[in-house]
Each structure stands twice: as structure tokens, then as C-alpha cells.
């Protein structure tokens, strides 16, 4: 093999090597981008689910904030928010609770005849722990990723009821 | 033949250079997107903290106005309550400010004005 042929081969190899580096770099940037996009989408999805759950819960409490209309009870093995209302003289109840990875809701005049799996699915949620103390509802909402959010809701009608008693 | 190989090599080098520039821009955009997403999450969290603080203030008629700190995820939050004048004896007012600290840099995330009815203790 003469010198010219040897140089030619080296140059070709170098070109090939450069192309390989180029291909690997493209692949790396693409993979990083795809990975980041996946992470961001997942993060946004979780954030949306958590925000929606909190807003839904807060809105339901505010809508039904009347004297003795909101309470916390046990439904199956889970904590449930119970919202009472009168419609044409008949008492109806709405139960909001978490079961089997979802926030669920039941609206009926006889909720006790239902089981937790019968509720309408609202949004994904891992767990919901509720407590009512001194006219305040304390909710601990855990999303699918395990992030815990604590929400405190002061019942506006609570104070008047307490002072009357 | 030698000239042709050199040309290919040159072309590859230019290609790699252009790619490096494009990749640098892409990576910068990725990092920016990640920061924006993290900040959005922090602002949502700050809104919940401010809302909880507002509920506490309303419950205690402005008595529980101390500053507190809490760490959630990668962010460290500081909730500050600044009492303001409402101009009325029956109305209490405050501004809740939530600061977030992420990678040793603190910034204001949210400001929320809150008002409550003062309880007349003489009555």
C-alpha cells in the first residue's frame, strides 16, 4: 500500500467517524428532548389533576356552605364529605370520597344504600383524608405521584351556628 | 480522489458545527421549559398556601398573622402576612405574600389580599 492510498483510506475513515459522531449527537439530543417532554407532560398532568381536585373540593364546600349542611363521615373505609340539601321538602345528600384511585361522588336521597364503588368518577386521586374541627374542614389530598396537599376551609356558616348554641 | 475526500470531510465538519449550534439552542430551550414548568407548579402550590393562610386569618380574625416556612418538593416556601389598613373599624385587611426558594434563589411567587369582619369584643 503506497502513502497516497493510505492517506485516502484514513480520510475516508475520518469522514465516516465524523458522520458517526454526528448521528450519535442527533440521537442524544432527540432522546434528551423526548425524555424532557415526557417528564414535563407528566408533571403538568399531575399538577392539573391536583389543582382540579382541590378546586372541585373547595367549590363543592363553598356552594353548600349553609348551617349544618356540611359534615365529615366514614363511607366504607374512606373518609367522606357529606353535603346535605333540601329539594322540594325532601333531604338529599352528596358524598364526596376517594375510592380505588379516584375521587368519586354520589348524590341520592338514600346514600347509605350504595357502596363506595358505585360513585361517579371525578378525577384520579390516591387518597383523601378529611377532618372537621371548630367549623373548619381539613383535607389532605394525595395525588397519584404521592404528593400531599393540605387544604383548610373555614365554614362561613359555622361561626353563626356555633354562637347560637 | 484526494480532493473529493477532503471535500466530504469539510462538509461533515460544517454539518457538525451547524448541528452543535442547533443543539445548543435546543438544550437551552429544554432547560427553560423545565424551569417554567417548575415555577408554574410552585405558583399553584403558593396559591394553596396563601388560600390556607387566608382561611386561618379569617378564622382567627387576623390573630394568626405569623410568618412561616415550609418545604414542598424542591421548593422552600415562605409565607408572610402584612397587615394593612382597611379604613374601617369593622373590616380587617392583610396581604399575604408567598416567596419561593429554589436552588438558593428566592423570588416572590404570589400576593393575595384578604379581608375579614372584625369581631366586636364589647358586644
Amino acid at each position: 500500500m503506497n502513502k497516497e492510498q493510505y492517506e485516502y483510506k484514513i480520510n475516508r475513515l475520518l469522514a465516516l467517524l465524523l458522520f458517526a459522531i454526528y448521528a450519535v449527537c442527533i440521537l442524544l439530543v432527540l432522546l434528551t428532548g423526548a425524555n424532557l417532554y415526557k417528564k414535563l407532560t407528566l408533571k403538568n398532568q399531575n399538577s392539573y389533576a391536583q389543582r382540579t381536585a382541590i378546586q372541585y373540593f373547595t367549590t363543592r364546600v363553598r356552594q353548600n356552605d349553609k348551617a349544618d349542611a356540611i359534615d365529615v363521615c366514614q363511607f366504607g373505609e374512606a373518609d367522606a364529605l357529606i353535603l346535605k340539601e333540601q329539594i322540594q321538602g325532601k333531604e338529599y345528600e352528596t358524598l364526596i370520597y376517594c375510592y380505588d384511585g379516584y375521587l368519586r361522588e354520589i348524590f341520592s336521597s338514600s346514600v347509605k344504600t350504595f357502596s363506595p364503588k358505585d360513585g361517579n368518577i371525578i378525577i384520579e386521586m390516591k387518597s383523601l383524608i378529611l377532618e372537621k374541627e371548630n367549623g373548619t374542614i381539613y383535607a389532605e389530598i394525595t395525588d397519584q405521584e404521592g404528593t400531599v396537599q393540605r387544604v383548610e376551609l373555614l365554614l362561613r356558616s359555622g361561626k353563626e351556628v356555633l354562637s347560637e348554641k | 480522489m484526494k480532493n473529493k475526500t477532503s471535500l466530504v470531510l469539510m462538509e461533515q465538519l460544517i454539518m457538525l458545527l451547524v448541528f452543535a449550534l442547533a443543539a445548543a439552542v435546543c438544550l437551552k430551550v429544554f432547560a427553560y421549559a423545565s424551569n417554567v414548568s417548575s415555577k408554574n407548579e410552585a405558583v399553584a402550590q403558593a396559591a394553596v398556601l396563601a388560600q390556607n393562610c387566608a382561611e386561618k386569618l379569617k378564622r382567627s380574625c387576623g390573630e394568626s398573622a405569623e410568618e412561616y416556612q415550609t418545604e414542598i418538593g424542591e421548593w422552600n416556601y415562605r409565607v408572610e402576612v402584612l397587615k394593612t389598613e382597611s379604613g374601617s373599624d369593622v373590616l380587617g385587611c392583610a396581604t399575604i405574600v408567598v416567596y419561593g426558594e429554589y436552588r438558593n434563589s428566592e423570588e416572590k411567587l404570589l400576593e393575595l389580599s384578604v379581608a375579614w369582619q372584625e369581631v366586636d369584643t364589647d358586644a
Side-chain angles (χ1 to χ4, degrees):
Chain A
M1 195 191 287
N2 62 27
K3 199 184 168 192
E4 204 172 300
Q5 266 181 329
Y6 178 75
E7 266 181 16
Y8 171 69
K9 276 195 175 175
I10 288 288
N11 278 344
R12 282 197 72 171
L13 257 175
L14 209 64
L16 210 68
L17 192 75
L18 270 177
F19 182 73
I21 291 171
Y22 178 68
V24 168
C25 284
I26 281 186
L27 203 72
L28 275 177
V29 172
L30 272 177
L31 281 176
T32 314
N35 197 26
L36 197 87
Y37 182 73
K38 199 173 139 189
K39 265 189 196 169
L40 287 181
T41 314
L42 202 73
K43 210 172 173 183
N44 287 345
Q45 216 172 353
N46 279 330
S47 191
Y48 163 78
Q50 204 170 49
R51 266 203 317 265
T52 310
I54 291 173
Q55 283 307 319
Y56 181 78
F57 190 80
T58 310
T59 309
R60 294 299 269 140
V61 170
R62 292 282 172 252
Q63 276 175 343
N64 287 272
D65 198 351
K66 296 171 200 122
D68 289 330
I70 301 173
D71 211 349
V72 171
C73 67
Q74 280 285 117
F75 186 52
E77 286 177 1
D79 288 345
L81 184 78
I82 186 159
L83 311 168
K84 297 169 195 164
E85 59 187 302
Q86 294 265 343
I87 301 172
Q88 292 175 342
K90 197 173 177 187
E91 188 164 288
Y92 286 84
E93 287 175 338
T94 305
L95 278 182
I96 298 170
Y97 59 95
C98 182
Y99 178 77
D100 201 22
Y102 292 98
L103 181 73
R104 291 168 191 254
E105 184 179 299
I106 292 179
F107 172 72
S108 170
S109 57
S110 53
V111 284
K112 302 287 176 205
T113 56
F114 292 94
S115 74
K117 65 176 169 33
D118 297 325
N120 285 328
I121 290 171
I122 308 292
I123 202 160
E124 279 189 356
M125 187 188 279
K126 201 174 175 185
S127 79
L128 173 70
I129 299 167
L130 296 167
E131 203 183 320
K132 190 183 171 193
E133 204 183 304
N134 297 331
T136 306
I137 302 273
Y138 297 90
E140 198 177 287
I141 297 167
T142 312
D143 70 3
Q144 292 294 339
E145 289 292 297
T147 314
V148 182
Q149 290 266 23
R150 283 176 189 86
V151 184
E152 289 177 30
L153 296 164
L154 172 71
L155 300 177
R156 309 286 191 257
S157 58
K159 265 188 186 172
E160 285 168 25
V161 174
L162 282 174
S163 60
E164 275 167 22
K165 282 178 184 174
Chain B
M1 198 184 281
K2 195 184 171 187
N3 277 345
K4 202 181 167 190
T5 325
S6 299
L7 207 68
V8 170
L9 204 65
M10 191 74 96
E11 190 191 327
Q12 298 268 6
L13 270 172
I14 291 168
M15 201 164 74
L16 209 62
L17 191 77
V18 171
F19 171 76
L21 285 172
V25 173
C26 277
L27 287 175
K28 205 179 161 189
V29 170
F30 292 162
Y32 179 71
S34 180
N35 279 344
V36 167
S37 170
S38 176
K39 197 185 167 183
N40 283 345
E41 212 183 335
V43 170
Q45 182 65 57
V48 175
L49 290 174
Q51 206 176 325
N52 285 347
C53 187
E55 296 288 316
K56 270 191 196 120
L57 280 171
K58 284 185 179 186
R59 188 174 59 225
S60 64
C61 294
E63 289 301 310
S64 63
E66 355 39 88
E67 178 185 318
Y68 74 95
Q69 284 196 4
T70 178
E71 203 182 322
I72 301 164
E74 291 171 320
W75 285 76
N76 195 12
Y77 300 90
R78 184 164 62 85
V79 182
E80 208 177 275
V81 180
L82 310 164
K83 285 212 175 168
T84 49
E85 281 299 317
S86 68
S88 166
D89 291 340
V90 290
L91 196 69
C93 267
T95 303
I96 300 164
V97 189
V98 185
Y99 296 93
E101 194 191 322
Y102 181 60
R103 290 177 186 162
N104 293 327
S105 104
E106 194 183 65
E107 60 180 307
K108 191 201 268 186
L109 293 173
L110 193 101
E111 207 177 290
L112 182 77
S113 294
V114 60
W116 60 90
Q117 192 182 332
E118 296 282 12
V119 177
D120 189 3
T121 48
D122 301 332

